[in-house]
Amino acid sequence: MGPGPRSAGAGTSPQPLSLAARLSYAVGHFLNDLCASMWFTYLLLYLHSVRAYSSRGAGLLLLLGQVADGLCTPLVGYEADRAAGHCARYGPRKAWHLVGTICVLLSFPFIFSPCLGCGPATPEWAALLYYGPFIVIFQFGWAATQIAHLSLIPVLVTSDHEKVELTALRYAFTVVANIAVFGAAWLLLHLQGSSRAGPAQGSNVGDQLGVQDVPVFRTLSLLVVGVGVVFSLLFHLGTREGRRQRIEEPDEHSPLVAPAARPLLLWKHWLREPAFYQVGVLYMTTRLMVNLSQTYMATYLTHSLHLPKKFIATIPLVMYLSGFCSSFLMKPVNRRIGRNLTYFVGLLVVLAFAAWVALAERLGTAVYAAAALLGAGCATILVTSLAMTADLIGPHTYSGAFVYGAMSFSDKVANGLAVMAVQSLHPCPSDLCCTACVGFYHWVMVTVTGGVGIAAALALCSLFIWPIRVRTRDPGDRP
């Protein structure tokens, strides 16, 4: 579809990616985004409200997935960097992307389908044990695809503005994926409600989630993998990773004095860089805000605001439409005011949402405006934090996959532990809902946006004082 990156020769700058190449790269994470949208938004709701498992059991499954993802992510990043000499024709990162895609396709539909062989007398622990292997395989595949895709950014482009543009395009398709999931969920819930409504039924029949909604989530998961595989194919056909330059043996034409080589940063060197931890904390808190607000938005809408189940599709849809629009402003805003101030503006928007929710017990129709605020703020901080990670890596693409892997490890484990903590504090762990849930999920939303937002602000302050900088290293130093 479009030309891939070319190795820059002496005195020449690399050729910019064509529009087709940029778009084909941007859709490479589409399957992951579709699955992540269902995972974070609907997994707890599906297991607790639809399948009627306990809140702790649902939290344990999500924790298992996050820990598996967190452990696999740095290992995949390390192996992707180490595979530089292998799969040279196809590209080591694209090879890992392909492996991850296959694992996701083979496992994800089983997570949102009823347990095979389970009946009314099956104990909960046995049913949860059934889902465990599928979740681990799915999270390994998701991690492999994510790290391979993210680590391609510093390989495909070199300038800061191109990195921001590629990251913004990638996030724009993330928003499109979420819009597609929530649009399909709304349509399926609407069709399911229409088919079950009858003249003898009350007006509120079908408004609450229950076991009758199992086919909705199963069909949605099959649609997700069906659409996602098409976009993954477009990515593999249109993106050329390119080959790394080989170190050639000297001959009679080689200069007697070789030019100074750029220091090679291995994975162990990053652990001695203060900027690595600064960006890591900022990325972790950013992902906590984005993922936890997405995870508990559905339960906040149904249990705290007592809205009909169609709102679990329409409100997230408003959030991601707002994020989609704001993603197009990332490049000009970053260019005008810089990374740190752009992140600060997005953080202020998220904190404004937290203050609004904290002060208003019943939002009513204003929930749409609040959702638009949260969507725009989350899009801004997420795109900017990813661009900061690309800035941290800079020209050190040799170990770039490890950096992305380490960042994702902290974010996945933190998300899993945070969800498990919230589920353990649930006021009615065995019942689907009770009066105590109203205030519980209200303050969960305030905490995961406002409380974590304050922690992100502290991490951002450290970048204002000590900007992102990787210390130069003498090539002759022992690692």
Side-chain angles (χ1 to χ4, degrees):
M1 291 174 65
R6 296 182 180 177
S7 298
T12 63
S13 59
Q15 182 182 5
L17 287 179
S18 67
L19 177 61
R22 281 176 284 169
L23 290 176
S24 65
Y25 167 80
V27 301
H29 205 252
F30 200 72
L31 172 62
N32 262 22
D33 292 328
L34 291 170
C35 294
S37 180
M38 279 198 70
W39 173 266
F40 284 112
T41 307
Y42 295 136
L43 182 69
L44 289 180
L45 201 68
Y46 172 76
L47 294 173
H48 190 52
S49 299
V50 178
R51 300 299 299 157
Y53 296 134
S54 67
S55 59
R56 279 197 180 90
L60 276 173
L61 282 182
L62 194 142
L63 176 62
L64 172 66
Q66 295 302 102
V67 170
D69 191 357
L71 292 175
C72 291
T73 297
L75 294 177
V76 170
Y78 174 73
E79 289 297 327
D81 287 330
R82 210 164 64 103
H86 307 287
C87 304
R89 265 178 114 64
Y90 193 67
R93 290 168 176 82
K94 284 183 63 181
W96 273 103
H97 188 285
L98 181 61
V99 171
T101 299
I102 293 172
C103 290
V104 170
L105 293 176
L106 295 178
S107 59
F108 187 73
F110 290 95
I111 299 174
F112 286 91
S113 298
C115 170
L116 297 176
C118 296
T122 304
E124 181 178 307
W125 66 265
L128 296 180
L129 196 63
Y130 165 85
Y131 288 108
F134 294 113
I135 288 177
V136 171
I137 295 172
F138 162 65
Q139 291 292 0
F140 167 77
W142 202 95
T145 305
Q146 182 202 33
I147 295 306
H149 195 254
L150 279 175
S151 61
L152 275 171
I153 294 178
V155 174
L156 295 175
V157 294
T158 54
S159 73
D160 290 342
H161 296 312
E162 284 181 311
K163 290 176 184 177
V164 173
E165 183 180 18
L166 216 54
T167 304
L169 272 175
R170 180 182 184 273
Y171 185 75
F173 278 99
T174 298
V175 175
V176 172
N178 282 273
I179 291 172
V181 168
F182 300 133
W186 176 86
L187 182 61
L188 291 172
L189 288 169
H190 178 73
L191 293 176
Q192 186 260 3
S194 300
S195 65
R196 290 181 176 274
Q201 294 174 315
S203 58
N204 291 329
V205 172
D207 277 350
Q208 302 303 317
L209 287 168
V211 69
Q212 73 276 2
D213 296 303
V214 168
V216 171
F217 291 93
R218 180 177 55 212
T219 304
L220 187 59
S221 66
L222 292 173
L223 286 174
V224 160
V225 296
V227 173
V229 71
V230 174
F231 284 91
S232 295
L233 181 62
L234 292 176
F235 163 77
H236 282 276
L237 292 176
T239 302
R240 292 172 55 192
E241 181 174 342
R243 304 183 186 181
R244 293 181 180 174
Q245 290 183 324
R246 293 184 306 166
I247 301 175
E248 299 180 354
E249 294 294 331
D251 55 22
E252 65 271 16
H253 301 291
S254 302
L256 294 177
V257 180
R262 183 184 298 277
L264 188 66
L265 259 69
L266 303 177
W267 66 270
K268 62 182 75 174
H269 296 145
W270 286 108
L271 302 179
R272 307 172 195 165
E273 296 291 339
F276 175 77
Y277 298 99
Q278 289 176 274
V279 177
V281 172
L282 187 72
Y283 182 82
M284 181 187 69
T285 52
T286 300
R287 280 292 186 180
L288 278 173
M289 278 186 284
V290 174
N291 293 342
L292 292 179
S293 62
Q294 184 177 354
T295 298
Y296 287 104
M297 176 58 77
T299 49
Y300 169 67
L301 294 172
T302 55
H303 296 324
S304 293
L305 300 183
H306 301 295
L307 296 173
K309 65 183 180 183
K310 67 178 182 180
F311 280 85
I312 69 172
T314 56
I315 294 300
L317 186 60
V318 170
M319 288 173 55
Y320 281 96
L321 281 172
S322 173
F324 180 78
C325 295
S326 63
S327 66
F328 291 104
L329 300 175
M330 293 300 102
K331 185 177 179 180
V333 171
N334 268 273
R335 182 179 294 174
R336 182 170 292 273
I337 66 176
R339 300 265 199 274
N340 293 349
L341 285 178
T342 302
Y343 187 96
F344 181 68
V345 170
L347 189 58
L348 286 180
V349 175
V350 175
L351 292 175
F353 165 84
W356 194 348
V357 172
L359 297 175
E361 292 185 6
R362 311 289 291 183
L363 288 175
T365 56
V367 70
Y368 289 101
L373 270 182
L374 182 61
C378 286
T380 303
I381 61 177
L382 184 57
V383 170
T384 308
S385 65
L386 286 170
M388 287 177 175
T389 307
D391 289 341
L392 173 69
I393 296 172
H396 307 290
T397 58
Y398 179 82
S399 53
F402 169 78
V403 175
Y404 282 115
M407 301 292 175
S408 292
F409 171 77
S410 62
D411 120 60
K412 298 302 188 313
V413 174
N415 270 282
L417 292 176
V419 168
M420 194 61 215
V422 172
Q423 295 300 106
S424 298
L425 295 172
H426 198 281
C428 42
S430 58
D431 298 328
L432 294 183
C433 187
C434 63
T435 55
C437 293
V438 177
F440 178 75
Y441 286 114
H442 173 86
W443 289 109
V444 164
M445 283 302 298
V446 174
T447 303
V448 301
T449 52
V452 181
I454 293 173
L458 296 176
L460 182 65
C461 288
S462 73
L463 290 177
F464 276 111
I465 300 172
W466 300 286
I468 298 174
R469 183 178 67 89
V470 177
R471 296 171 296 180
T472 57
R473 196 176 298 277
D474 188 350
D477 288 349
R478 295 175 64 88

